[in-house]
Amino acid sequence: VLQIETLRTVAPFFNRSVKPPPATVFGLRIDGMQTISGTGIWLWRVSGAPEPLDAGGTKGSEGFRRKQSADMQVDAFVHQRYYPMIEANEFGGFFGRMRTLLATNLWMADRGGGAGGQPVHTLLPTTMLAFELRIRDDPNLPESLRAHTDEPLLHSVFGVRYAGGRFVRSGDPVFNADQLWCKVEFISEPATKWRNQQLVSYRFIEGVLEHEDPPAMVTINLWGEDVAIARLFKSGYYIGLLCPVVKPRTPGATVVAEYGDLTITFVTCSIRRQSEPAASQFSIAQNESGFLDYRRYAHRVQLCQCRKDMINLTLVARIVAVSDNLPYTDSDGTLDRYAVRIDDGSAVCDMTLWGELGRQAAGMLPGQLVLLFSLDTSEENGDVVLNGSVETGTQIYNISEMTSIPMSSALRSYSFLAALPPAANRYARVCIVAVEPVGEHIRDVRDRLAATALVHTACRRNVLRRDRPQFNGILEGPTDGFDFSCPSCSIDSLPNEDVTPVFAIRARIDDGTASLVVQVTPAAAADILRVSPSQLLELPDRREQQGVLTRPRGREVVVSITTFSESLSIEREVRIDAVCESGDVGMPSASI
């Protein structure tokens, strides 16, 4: 599991042997502020910030002692970007209220001028920091900080207030500048992109403006050195940007913003409501075998919270990749094994699924949203790995392919095609403009359009001809006259009854804001075409088969849409995973 720990002490900077790497995230408290004598250069006096209350137990008695004693202090140069905050009336007293912040990319140097030639250790200026904003309703807030909360600033700068477990609009901001306040939903992995004819680092953050009516989506683009600030955030955090570069948008469209040269960042870490049980390994009872048993806890766990020896976990995550079968052989025989990589926005983790459950997962596609029940964890080579099998009660539900969700107006809202994020699961009401075949694999001799492909019924992946593994086209005769293999399942010879045709099509859809060519899963294709692959193949000539692909034109449907990027690619792919007729929305027969 990928997780960055926040260090709440400056002690590592004084370690003589090993210095903290630049990627380390520090939680710091500003204890004082002054200028260097005879100059206009500002300094902060900083020390380690207090731990949130639900983190106090994670370090045992040693951590408790450190919290009760004073941390060492060090000076830090203030970057000139923050000088206006020191002088502005709107931020009067902001740095004098035990202000805390998260920071990364920190380096320490000797600024000179110490008594007797002694070094004066000072942290170099950085803009990779976020000032923490606090609210009274946060039960995680340490008592030392509870007297200094930021409700007035949240109103004056961002026009929001916290009420009823979420942020709502409090009025127009007093501060006259572009600003953005959003809840983080997804943080992308670092990548590279061409920008201004240069290949630069790139990362994006997806969030929701939950105080708007209706709530709007936002994408924050980070370029170059600014990608480092994403280390400070996690899914569920609230972040505020003052003076970002906000691009013009049409009503209902996703807000697109960029981190600019003047942007100042604020953050409110996840607010745990008093009534909610903390999803922590230290709040879950251990069973008689010493495992942390989540069976009695209905709330789902985030990947960043996973540790070894947990059982009965519930997770919601997106599929990143699914491997071919990796059979495991021992003295008891051979067992099918599949590796699945998942991402829930807080971390990426690998999962091993065994036997029938692995074969079920083999048919899942990148970007699909899945619900997983009754997983357990183990440790391999220092990494936490998830495990599941039918024998241990693990169940997988593919949320993206559930047709009942598009049918229910209560379970989802609509998104515009023009505002689809690069990686997300959304629902849209669209019109089908065209359907075309894309069969690029082995297909039945009766397929005159290349609109189908032959797959293995168990894993739903394409089969190969044993005599000609490189063959990729229409068969010369009936299917039962050939021998097939399934490389995904590591099966050299498949019985003919285990080979079946599925649709292989793509569609152009339009919702009035954009027109997109999208992939279509075989199940969704059958719902769009209103025939099965076998029924298509039974039609006697090409003209009748073409009519099946032509009939959906102009039909209005509600679709489950997945946007994703294939491995090692920065290009966005769009796919329809489920579909229902627009006239069927709200039908009483819809169920999950």
Side-chain angles (χ1 to χ4, degrees):
V1 175
L2 305 180
Q3 174 69 6
I4 298 176
E5 181 183 3
T6 300
L7 296 183
R8 297 180 178 272
T9 174
V10 297
F13 289 108
F14 296 93
N15 190 318
R16 294 185 178 182
S17 56
V18 180
K19 300 298 182 183
T24 306
V25 175
F26 287 89
L28 304 176
R29 182 181 64 199
I30 299 175
D31 296 324
M33 185 171 60
Q34 64 180 15
T35 57
I36 298 177
S37 180
T39 73
I41 300 174
W42 283 97
L43 294 173
W44 286 324
R45 189 69 172 167
V46 299
S47 61
E51 292 271 15
L53 293 184
D54 69 352
T58 63
K59 302 185 184 300
S61 58
E62 179 182 351
F64 179 79
R65 287 194 300 270
R66 192 195 69 74
K67 283 174 43 180
Q68 300 304 312
S69 60
D71 185 41
M72 60 177 62
Q73 295 180 322
V74 65
D75 285 340
F77 285 109
V78 180
H79 194 281
Q80 288 187 336
R81 181 178 301 189
Y82 308 110
Y83 280 25
M85 294 179 65
I86 299 174
E87 302 163 357
N89 292 331
E90 290 86 352
F91 291 95
F94 180 76
F95 297 109
R97 300 171 181 165
M98 301 186 71
R99 180 59 51 199
T100 58
L101 56 90
L102 301 177
T104 187
N105 279 16
L106 292 179
W107 301 83
M108 192 166 72
D110 175 16
R111 75 171 188 260
Q118 292 296 312
V120 181
H121 297 296
T122 309
L123 297 177
L124 298 180
T126 182
T127 58
M128 296 297 100
L129 61 83
F131 299 104
E132 291 189 288
L133 299 183
R134 306 184 285 264
I135 62 169
R136 296 186 187 90
D137 291 342
D138 185 0
N140 238 2
L141 198 63
E143 286 300 323
S144 60
L145 302 179
R146 193 166 292 280
H148 307 284
T149 55
D150 295 298
E151 285 82 2
L153 186 140
L154 283 164
H155 166 69
S156 63
V157 177
F158 297 104
V160 298
R161 63 184 178 87
Y162 190 76
R166 61 190 291 265
F167 279 94
V168 298
R169 182 173 294 279
S170 63
D172 293 330
V174 177
F175 202 81
N176 185 23
D178 285 336
Q179 47 79 22
L180 204 63
W181 182 262
C182 70
K183 184 177 183 179
V184 176
E185 287 198 336
F186 175 78
I187 303 174
S188 75
E189 292 298 311
T192 55
K193 275 192 175 184
W194 288 98
R195 190 189 194 210
N196 300 329
Q197 299 182 333
Q198 289 184 323
L199 194 62
V200 298
S201 300
Y202 171 71
R203 208 166 180 183
F204 64 87
I205 300 171
E206 292 178 356
V208 60
L209 308 176
E210 66 177 13
H211 57 280
E212 289 198 358
D213 186 19
M217 299 301 298
V218 59
T219 298
I220 302 169
N221 294 318
L222 306 174
W223 299 95
E225 295 179 353
D226 293 336
V227 300
I229 202 163
R231 300 183 201 130
L232 308 181
F233 311 130
K234 300 176 185 176
S235 177
Y237 281 20
Y238 291 90
I239 59 175
L241 300 183
L242 183 60
C243 300
V245 180
V246 181
K247 297 183 178 181
R249 64 158 177 157
T250 57
T254 296
V255 178
V256 178
E258 293 189 352
Y259 200 81
D261 295 335
L262 301 176
T263 305
I264 298 172
T265 307
F266 303 84
V267 62
T268 295
C269 298
S270 300
I271 301 170
R272 177 174 58 83
R273 296 186 218 173
Q274 194 79 44
S275 59
E276 292 179 342
S280 161
Q281 67 175 36
F282 294 94
S283 63
I284 304 299
Q286 293 181 328
N287 66 7
E288 63 276 5
S289 301
F291 292 97
L292 297 159
D293 192 346
Y294 277 74
R295 186 185 305 274
R296 297 179 181 273
Y297 297 84
H299 62 277
R300 66 186 177 94
V301 178
Q302 288 187 307
L303 289 176
C304 66
Q305 298 169 313
C306 290
R307 303 293 185 267
K308 68 174 182 177
D309 296 339
M310 291 179 166
I311 60 176
N312 295 313
L313 295 178
T314 298
L315 293 168
V316 175
R318 302 179 86 227
I319 299 292
V320 177
V322 183
S323 75
D324 290 340
N325 188 16
L326 306 168
Y328 175 79
T329 303
D330 60 12
S331 58
D332 295 326
T334 300
L335 187 62
D336 290 339
R337 176 180 58 175
Y338 291 80
V340 182
R341 179 161 292 175
I342 58 175
D343 181 348
D344 73 345
S346 71
V348 177
C349 189
D350 289 333
M351 175 170 60
T352 302
L353 299 179
W354 299 87
E356 178 61 34
L357 195 68
R359 291 189 290 274
Q360 175 189 344
M364 294 181 179
L365 301 172
Q368 288 184 332
L369 192 67
V370 294
L371 174 63
L372 305 116
F373 285 110
S374 195
L375 293 169
D376 60 70
T377 63
S378 59
E379 191 173 67
E380 295 181 11
N381 300 321
D383 295 326
V384 173
V385 176
L386 299 166
N387 304 281
S389 68
V390 173
E391 290 71 21
T392 59
T394 305
Q395 300 177 64
I396 303 178
Y397 296 92
N398 192 328
I399 298 174
S400 295
E401 291 190 344
M402 288 180 176
T403 57
S404 52
I405 297 180
M407 291 178 67
S408 173
S409 57
L411 294 177
R412 52 98 191 100
S413 58
Y414 292 134
S415 297
F416 294 118
L417 296 184
L420 291 178
N425 305 91
R426 298 288 187 266
Y427 298 91
R429 193 182 189 105
V430 302
C431 182
I432 299 174
V433 178
V435 176
E436 59 184 34
V438 292
E440 300 170 348
H441 301 280
I442 299 175
R443 62 184 187 273
D444 193 285
V445 67
R446 297 168 294 170
D447 183 355
R448 296 165 177 83
L449 303 175
T452 64
L454 292 177
V455 301
H456 182 197
T457 55
C459 67
R460 314 303 290 182
R461 297 191 183 184
N462 296 295
V463 299
L464 299 179
R465 275 177 60 170
R466 292 186 65 196
D467 58 335
R468 295 172 60 187
Q470 303 304 318
F471 180 80
N472 210 14
I474 188 169
L475 295 174
E476 300 89 348
T479 302
D480 57 9
F482 296 88
D483 290 329
F484 300 99
S485 64
C486 179
S488 173
C489 294
S490 300
I491 299 177
D492 290 332
S493 181
L494 283 173
N496 283 110
E497 59 267 23
D498 289 345
V499 178
T500 188
V502 297
F503 282 120
I505 64 170
R506 59 175 167 248
R508 178 174 287 279
I509 56 176
D510 193 317
D511 72 341
T513 67
S515 178
L516 301 178
V517 176
V518 299
Q519 303 175 27
V520 184
T521 63
D527 288 334
I528 289 175
L529 300 177
R530 294 179 174 174
V531 298
S532 69
S534 298
Q535 290 173 319
L536 176 78
L537 296 176
E538 290 171 0
L539 297 175
D541 56 47
R542 178 184 178 86
R543 181 181 59 82
E544 291 190 60
Q545 291 185 0
Q546 184 62 52
V548 173
L549 270 62
T550 303
R551 281 195 288 272
R553 291 179 183 174
R555 204 158 75 234
E556 189 179 60
V557 295
V558 177
V559 293
S560 168
I561 286 185
T562 295
T563 56
F564 64 100
S565 295
E566 292 283 8
S567 178
L568 304 179
S569 173
I570 61 175
E571 296 298 324
R572 183 184 74 165
E573 301 285 345
V574 184
R575 184 181 62 241
I576 294 177
D577 286 320
V579 62
C580 80
E581 300 294 324
S582 60
D584 291 340
V585 174
M587 295 291 288
S589 60
S591 62
I592 295 181

